[in-house]
Amino acid sequence: MVMLTVACMILFSFLTDFGDRKLAYKAWLPFNYSVSNCYYIAYAHQIIALIGTALLNVACDVLVCGLLVHVCGQQEILKHRVMELKKEPRPDIGKIVRFHDYLYGYVSIIQQKFQEIIGVQLLSSTFVVCFILYELSNAPVNSKYLQFVLYLTCMMTQVFFYCWYGNQLKLKSVEVANAIFEADWISFDNSSKKSLINVMRRATKPIELTCAYIFTMDLKTFVDILKMSYSTYNLLQRTKES
């Protein structure tokens, strides 16, 4: 989706700006780019920068979402191991406890490493959505209008991915308690029962990935971001009318 948007931006810029010796984006340069060779270098620099930043943005999003998918997969493995305990003659409850503790520690590391990045991404995407909505309401239907629509779709998809996988992580973590309850844990010895009860108690509190320790990344947050974006858009419209 991002590459399609970038391709459309480059194509429209080549059809409109390149023929008039205009840059794809307004910029101050320490040389006169009206000269042919200088113009080609400046124009190519902006196009390469556009492609590079788009790829970097996608790489960051895929990295964070991929880590969340990995945790969800580990939750499924943990549930499977819990269900298989009743088939073992001498079940090793310790590995279940250590595995469950490892998952919480793993998510904590993700939280520490990426909370600033996720926070900046969601905050900037929210502001971008607001301003794009404002521009769409005032822009004529032309090539720029299509670029705004594609860019808005990318921003909304980016925010949705973060919130969707955060919500999946939250739901998967709670399912561990249900898996233990269905694993015929009553037939285990007292020590195993106590260990599984402790895991169940911990699993009843879902694993939540927060944005700067303020917003929880789930579908409710996505809806709240949409509401806030629309409210900001209305404020901009009223300010313009007044």
Side-chain angles (χ1 to χ4, degrees):
M1 187 179 296
V2 171
M3 287 298 99
L4 175 62
T5 304
V6 170
C8 290
M9 288 181 175
I10 295 175
L11 178 61
F12 292 142
S13 175
F14 185 79
L15 295 177
T16 57
D17 300 327
F18 191 78
D20 298 332
R21 287 294 190 272
K22 295 181 180 179
L23 296 177
Y25 300 97
K26 295 180 180 180
W28 180 88
L29 299 174
F31 55 86
N32 183 13
Y33 62 84
S34 60
V35 182
S36 296
N37 292 334
C38 294
Y39 171 76
Y40 294 147
I41 294 174
Y43 187 85
H45 174 265
Q46 290 193 347
I47 297 301
I48 294 174
L50 173 62
I51 297 174
T53 52
L55 291 175
L56 183 63
N57 202 352
V58 172
C60 178
D61 297 337
V62 171
L63 173 62
V64 177
C65 294
L67 292 174
L68 297 183
V69 171
H70 174 69
V71 179
C72 292
Q74 294 298 310
Q75 295 280 1
E76 288 292 334
I77 293 174
L78 178 59
K79 287 168 52 181
H80 176 75
R81 290 183 179 179
V82 169
M83 298 301 296
E84 293 295 318
L85 284 176
K86 57 185 177 182
K87 299 181 181 179
E88 300 178 6
R90 298 182 63 183
D92 186 3
I93 306 299
K95 68 178 182 181
I96 301 297
V97 177
R98 291 190 296 270
F99 194 2
H100 192 249
D101 184 68
Y102 158 77
L103 290 178
Y104 275 81
Y106 186 79
V107 175
S108 178
I109 294 175
I110 297 176
Q111 177 78 45
Q112 294 174 3
K113 299 296 183 181
F114 293 98
Q115 63 172 339
E116 292 86 2
I117 297 175
I118 296 173
V120 171
Q121 286 279 54
L122 293 182
L123 183 61
S124 60
S125 297
T126 302
F127 281 114
V128 168
V129 169
C130 298
F131 289 115
I132 290 179
L133 288 175
Y134 179 76
E135 290 293 333
L136 284 175
S137 63
N138 300 289
V141 180
N142 52 19
S143 60
K144 290 290 184 182
Y145 189 89
L146 179 58
Q147 292 181 47
F148 283 140
V149 171
L150 291 174
Y151 194 53
L152 176 63
T153 304
C154 290
M155 291 295 100
M156 295 302 300
T157 305
Q158 180 190 50
V159 176
F160 178 75
F161 276 169
Y162 278 112
C163 295
W164 171 264
Y165 288 116
N167 189 74
Q168 288 295 107
L169 175 62
K170 183 178 179 180
L171 296 178
K172 292 292 183 182
S173 63
V174 179
E175 292 177 359
V176 175
N178 297 330
I180 295 176
F181 184 78
E182 298 172 0
D184 192 23
W185 58 276
I186 299 178
S187 60
F188 298 150
D189 57 81
N190 290 333
S191 178
S192 299
K193 289 179 182 178
K194 291 178 181 179
S195 298
L196 289 177
I197 288 175
N198 289 330
V199 174
M200 290 179 67
R201 286 177 176 175
R202 192 176 189 180
T204 52
K205 184 180 180 181
I207 300 177
E208 295 180 343
L209 196 64
T210 59
C211 173
Y213 295 107
I214 300 175
F215 303 104
T216 302
M217 289 176 54
D218 53 16
L219 294 180
K220 181 180 180 300
T221 301
F222 178 71
V223 176
D224 292 338
I225 290 176
L226 292 181
K227 292 180 180 178
M228 184 171 63
S229 300
Y230 186 72
S231 299
T232 307
Y233 162 73
N234 287 332
L235 178 61
L236 293 173
Q237 283 290 83
R238 293 178 182 177
T239 303
K240 178 184 176 182
E241 293 174 358
S242 62

